[in-house]
Amino acid sequence: MKSSVTMKDIASKLGVSSVTVSKALNDKEGVSDSLKLKIKKVAGEMGYRFNSAAKSIKEGLSYNIGVMIPQRFTGLQESFYLRVYQQIAIQLDHYGYFGILNILSSEDEEELNFPRVYSENKVDGIIVLGQVSKKYIETVQNMELPKLFLDFYDEHAAIDSIVTDNFYGAYEITNYLIQCGHRDIAYVGNIYSTSSIQDRYLGYYKSLLEHGMVFENRLLLNDRDEHGRYIDIEFPEKMPTAFVCNCDQVAYNLCERLNAMGYRVPDDCSVVGFDNDVYATLANPQLTTVEVDIEQMARTSVKTIMDKVANPNRHIGRLLVHGKIIYRDSVKKINL
Amino acid sequence: MKSSVTMKDIASKLGVSSVTVSKALNDKEGVSDSLKLKIKKVAGEMGYRFNSAAKSIKEGLSYNIGVMIPQRFTGLQESFYLRVYQQIAIQLDHYGYFGILNILSSEDEEELNFPRVYSENKVDGIIVLGQVSKKYIETVQNMELPKLFLDFYDEHAAIDSIVTDNFYGAYEITNYLIQCGHRDIAYVGNIYSTSSIQDRYLGYYKSLLEHGMVFENRLLLNDRDEHGRYIDIEFPEKMPTAFVCNCDQVAYNLCERLNAMGYRVPDDCSVVGFDNDVYATLANPQLTTVEVDIEQMARTSVKTIMDKVANPNRHIGRLLVHGKIIYRDSVKKINL
DNA sequence: CTGAAAGCGCTTACAG
DNA sequence: CTGAAAGCGCTTACAG
């Protein structure tokens, strides 16, 4: 950055004070229009660039927001959170802010280390994108700046959070399966893995309850171990007619597996996913799923964190962003 | 950031000067070990956080690097550049730096606007990730800070660049096809679209030349229009026995298309890709392809830009990162 | 080993 | 309308 041209340089070139230059460049009152114009012109000619660090130090604001993503959600196959981050960066731009990505390494999460963006005062707020451990949630709570959980929440922590309405989305898509005549519907997911998976399960469960159907444990199919690694799904003796998967990738894997086993989707089994990500359209057949509105999540998150930066006492609680069912080819209407 | 605890606060609590606190916290000489220890302890207790803006203003360094990705490379299906960005962020962390993502909107690219990270002096260097227009390359050249092109280059611009060795990778994989007995090999890609696509084409072409094979125009198959949107590939009358695709996604699409047309891959036609991204393993069959080493690209880029921040006169020219052929199931040995 | 002074580039009252 | 003074939090010589 080598402090190239400063306001002072412009000032002395024009024989005015740097205060006047500051006012002119910021369109503040107290400079004649003609002088303001002249200053702006010269600033342009000299290639002046604003020094945001100086402003930061005065205002105590960095104009950055940190986005923290736990490392384990950034595998080669997963780009959902990176996409959310991208949308956040775009939204922040509208507020004159920038987004700094912070991948939370497993070690740092384990050792409860503060992220550098925090300890070096690099950001005015932090968005934690993706579930972190209970312990680390406490660490986040100890950070003295506006913070927000995105795509997960914790009952015990009084931290604002923004999540897809997982419960309602799964509830709706299960209702749809039931409308299509399905009576033996399984849920695929490790319900102790993340709150998203758990809430989607509960929406599925509510739908069953409302329709007077009985839930049996054989209908709950585990898809991953406690480290989040996918495991082979064990099917019950009697094959269900439909599967509600906790996400599209799992639905995609399930379709592959079913095809390999000789089942045709949707003729033999119907499958629905959640997220509407790449896997939804890559699957064969293409998946009926619940779309997660990434842009809306980013927009809401950024608006919220900006609110909280301006007013640290603002509290929004848990905010739900609605999903929307996308109808494709993986569900079959069956006879009642 | 509300300038919570400052060095001055620590100093007055301990009855020393802020200079001493600064020295102690930065492990500089001139403080007794006992005092240093005490200062660090109190700093910890008071929840002191370093104010990097103040340091920035003194040193004229922001400790941020901007990563600029043209909007058009960030579609829903493409996450390659986001992954590269992620690796860059991780590498920057090792140097005490942060990465700021800057999506270059089509308007800004069109209107040749400087990115805000530049005009607000937010970064010490910029990595341009993904080909920008000729005109915009000039705009980048006018920026007065260390800069680097990643994953593309421009002959006329004397800007350092880091690219996968596209030429050599395509050359090698085409050699492999020829070794497998193929004599009628097509290249799939719009060679006027990006330099990567063009260089891969040239590697393919060199392989043909070296093996005394004649290239005919019917073997060059266009895959996208001038805006980068995929178009339906038009096949030549006589079907080639193998296809060198400019990337895995196009190879994936091609496989789908060939399957739909009744051709079996690799029995009827062999197909190879480039990148080794998600599409390579998603394709049916899985693709033989050239792996792009994302981590290595990020590591090299970060090392280079750090060098250039320290020494602005450093010039590396065009640096190639080697790819590696990954052998899978999309190529068949045929009779010579 | 310790600290008073000056300065980084900018902005915010306040005085003229 | 214009500008001198003070200060944001820190660091870098330099003096004791």
Side-chain angles (χ1 to χ4, degrees):
Chain A
M1 266 144 73
K2 281 283 137 39
S3 65
S4 34
V5 184
T6 71
M7 286 188 178
K8 214 171 160 188
D9 296 332
I10 301 173
S12 57
K13 181 146 201 168
L14 254 49
V16 297
S17 82
S18 60
V19 176
T20 303
V21 174
S22 170
K23 285 174 184 160
L25 259 27
N26 287 297
D27 283 318
K28 297 243 163 112
E29 299 203 325
V31 201
S32 66
D33 284 352
S34 62
L35 182 53
K36 188 192 283 186
L37 232 60
K38 205 191 296 179
I39 289 174
K40 286 190 173 180
K41 182 157 166 283
V42 172
E45 287 166 2
M46 295 176 74
Y48 172 73
R49 285 187 289 146
F50 185 75
N51 186 326
S52 55
K55 190 181 183 187
S56 281
I57 209 179
K58 278 293 289 184
E59 302 189 359
L61 244 33
S62 67
Y63 294 97
N64 295 141
I65 293 294
V67 177
M68 194 161 81
I69 306 179
Q71 190 179 26
R72 83 187 94 87
F73 295 127
T74 63
L76 227 156
Q77 308 286 23
E78 304 156 274
S79 57
F80 179 66
Y81 283 154
L82 285 176
R83 306 211 73 81
V84 177
Y85 167 73
Q86 181 200 338
Q87 285 301 321
I88 289 174
I90 291 173
Q91 295 295 330
L92 284 171
D93 190 53
H94 301 156
Y95 292 84
Y97 264 71
F98 292 100
I100 293 183
L101 176 64
N102 202 272
I103 304 290
L104 177 67
S105 71
S106 306
E107 299 90 285
D108 283 347
E109 186 173 355
E110 195 75 29
E111 294 165 15
L112 306 181
N113 293 327
F114 281 136
R116 273 179 53 236
V117 282
Y118 176 71
S119 50
E120 296 181 12
N121 249 310
K122 273 283 196 175
V123 297
D124 301 337
I126 285 194
I127 296 175
V128 182
L129 176 50
Q131 184 128 24
V132 293
S133 68
K134 288 261 177 203
K135 283 278 185 192
Y136 203 82
I137 287 176
E138 283 176 39
T139 303
V140 173
Q141 275 183 299
N142 286 332
M143 296 187 198
E144 289 176 352
L145 43 53
K147 44 206 172 263
L148 186 64
F149 289 160
L150 182 52
D151 202 46
F152 77 105
Y153 66 94
D154 184 88
E155 175 129 17
H156 306 294
I159 296 186
D160 293 331
S161 58
I162 293 178
V163 288
T164 305
D165 198 339
N166 290 306
F167 177 82
Y168 197 75
Y171 168 71
E172 279 197 308
I173 205 163
T174 309
N175 285 346
Y176 168 67
L177 285 171
I178 293 174
Q179 278 164 32
C180 288
H182 293 276
R183 288 295 173 272
D184 200 29
I185 307 172
Y187 181 81
V188 185
N190 181 341
I191 61 172
Y192 303 107
S193 180
T194 70
S195 55
S196 294
I197 298 179
Q198 192 167 84
D199 293 351
R200 290 171 189 182
Y201 164 71
L202 292 170
Y204 148 88
Y205 188 48
K206 179 186 171 66
S207 172
L208 259 52
L209 289 177
E210 279 200 357
H211 291 83
M213 292 161 58
V214 277
F215 171 75
E216 304 162 57
N217 277 321
R218 59 175 269 279
L219 293 176
L220 182 57
L221 311 182
N222 199 1
D223 67 334
R224 63 190 79 188
D225 64 19
E226 63 270 28
H227 305 293
R229 280 185 298 251
Y230 288 136
I231 59 176
D232 273 353
I233 293 168
E234 288 178 33
F235 295 102
E237 294 258 331
K238 184 186 161 227
M239 209 60 168
T241 67
F243 297 86
V244 175
C245 298
N246 75 84
C247 69
D248 286 337
Q249 190 177 357
V250 163
Y252 173 90
N253 292 342
L254 179 64
C255 286
E256 295 282 292
R257 182 87 184 284
L258 289 171
N259 286 332
M261 291 167 72
Y263 291 94
R264 286 159 306 156
V265 180
D267 290 330
D268 299 326
C269 310
S270 293
V271 173
V272 298
F274 211 112
D275 290 341
N276 195 31
D277 63 24
V278 221
Y279 288 96
T281 46
L282 249 29
N284 184 11
Q286 298 204 339
L287 299 173
T288 291
T289 188
V290 180
E291 179 176 61
V292 169
D293 192 338
I294 294 186
E295 198 185 327
Q296 185 59 44
M297 289 190 86
R299 197 196 314 276
T300 309
S301 305
V302 168
K303 190 179 181 318
T304 304
I305 201 85
M306 291 290 95
D307 271 8
K308 293 179 64 141
V309 167
N311 178 357
N313 298 320
R314 182 85 90 233
H315 188 66
I316 59 150
R318 197 157 74 90
L319 216 120
L320 299 174
V321 174
H322 257 92
K324 181 184 152 200
I325 300 186
I326 308 288
Y327 297 94
R328 284 195 276 248
D329 313 317
S330 62
V331 173
K332 192 192 175 190
K333 267 200 163 61
I334 62 177
N335 290 335
L336 295 179
Chain B
M1 268 148 70
K2 280 281 137 41
S3 64
S4 32
V5 184
T6 72
M7 286 189 177
K8 213 170 162 189
D9 296 332
I10 301 173
S12 58
K13 182 146 200 168
L14 253 49
V16 298
S17 83
S18 61
V19 177
T20 303
V21 174
S22 170
K23 285 174 184 161
L25 260 26
N26 287 297
D27 281 320
K28 296 245 163 110
E29 298 204 325
V31 201
S32 66
D33 284 352
S34 62
L35 182 53
K36 188 193 283 188
L37 232 62
K38 204 191 296 177
I39 288 173
K40 286 189 172 180
K41 183 157 166 284
V42 173
E45 287 167 3
M46 295 177 73
Y48 172 73
R49 285 187 289 146
F50 185 74
N51 185 325
S52 55
K55 191 180 182 188
S56 281
I57 210 176
K58 277 294 286 184
E59 302 190 358
L61 245 33
S62 67
Y63 295 97
N64 295 140
I65 294 293
V67 177
M68 193 160 84
I69 306 179
Q71 190 179 28
R72 83 189 94 88
F73 295 126
T74 63
L76 227 157
Q77 308 285 22
E78 303 156 275
S79 56
F80 180 66
Y81 283 153
L82 285 176
R83 308 210 72 81
V84 177
Y85 168 72
Q86 182 200 338
Q87 286 300 322
I88 289 175
I90 290 172
Q91 295 296 330
L92 284 171
D93 190 52
H94 301 154
Y95 291 84
Y97 264 72
F98 292 100
I100 292 184
L101 176 64
N102 202 273
I103 303 291
L104 176 66
S105 71
S106 307
E107 299 91 285
D108 284 347
E109 187 174 354
E110 194 76 30
E111 294 165 15
L112 307 180
N113 293 326
F114 281 136
R116 272 179 54 233
V117 283
Y118 177 71
S119 50
E120 295 181 14
N121 249 309
K122 273 283 195 173
V123 296
D124 301 337
I126 283 194
I127 296 174
V128 182
L129 177 48
Q131 184 127 24
V132 294
S133 68
K134 288 263 177 201
K135 283 279 187 192
Y136 203 82
I137 287 176
E138 283 177 40
T139 304
V140 173
Q141 276 184 299
N142 287 332
M143 298 188 198
E144 290 176 352
L145 43 53
K147 45 207 170 259
L148 186 64
F149 289 161
L150 183 50
D151 202 45
F152 77 105
Y153 65 95
D154 183 88
E155 177 129 18
H156 306 294
I159 296 186
D160 292 332
S161 58
I162 293 177
V163 287
T164 304
D165 198 339
N166 290 307
F167 177 82
Y168 197 75
Y171 169 71
E172 279 197 309
I173 206 163
T174 308
N175 286 347
Y176 169 68
L177 286 171
I178 293 173
Q179 278 164 33
C180 288
H182 293 276
R183 288 295 173 271
D184 199 31
I185 306 172
Y187 180 80
V188 184
N190 181 341
I191 61 173
Y192 303 108
S193 180
T194 70
S195 55
S196 296
I197 297 179
Q198 193 168 83
D199 293 351
R200 290 171 189 183
Y201 164 71
L202 291 170
Y204 148 89
Y205 188 50
K206 178 185 172 65
S207 173
L208 259 52
L209 290 178
E210 277 200 358
H211 290 83
M213 293 162 56
V214 279
F215 171 76
E216 304 161 59
N217 277 322
R218 59 175 270 277
L219 293 176
L220 182 56
L221 311 182
N222 199 3
D223 68 334
R224 64 191 79 188
D225 64 21
E226 62 270 30
H227 305 294
R229 279 186 295 252
Y230 289 136
I231 58 176
D232 273 352
I233 294 167
E234 288 179 33
F235 296 101
E237 292 260 330
K238 184 185 160 229
M239 208 61 166
T241 68
F243 297 86
V244 176
C245 298
N246 76 83
C247 69
D248 287 338
Q249 191 176 356
V250 163
Y252 173 91
N253 292 341
L254 178 64
C255 287
E256 296 280 293
R257 182 85 185 285
L258 288 172
N259 285 333
M261 290 167 72
Y263 290 93
R264 285 158 307 155
V265 180
D267 291 332
D268 299 327
C269 308
S270 293
V271 173
V272 297
F274 210 112
D275 290 342
N276 194 31
D277 63 24
V278 221
Y279 288 97
T281 47
L282 251 28
N284 186 10
Q286 298 203 337
L287 299 173
T288 291
T289 188
V290 180
E291 179 178 59
V292 170
D293 192 337
I294 294 185
E295 197 185 328
Q296 186 58 44
M297 289 189 84
R299 197 197 315 276
T300 309
S301 306
V302 168
K303 191 179 179 316
T304 303
I305 201 85
M306 290 290 97
D307 272 7
K308 295 179 63 142
V309 167
N311 179 355
N313 298 320
R314 182 85 91 232
H315 188 66
I316 60 151
R318 196 157 75 89
L319 218 122
L320 300 174
V321 175
H322 256 90
K324 182 185 151 199
I325 300 186
I326 307 289
Y327 298 94
R328 282 194 278 248
D329 314 317
S330 62
V331 174
K332 191 191 176 192
K333 267 198 163 59
I334 62 177
N335 291 333
L336 296 178

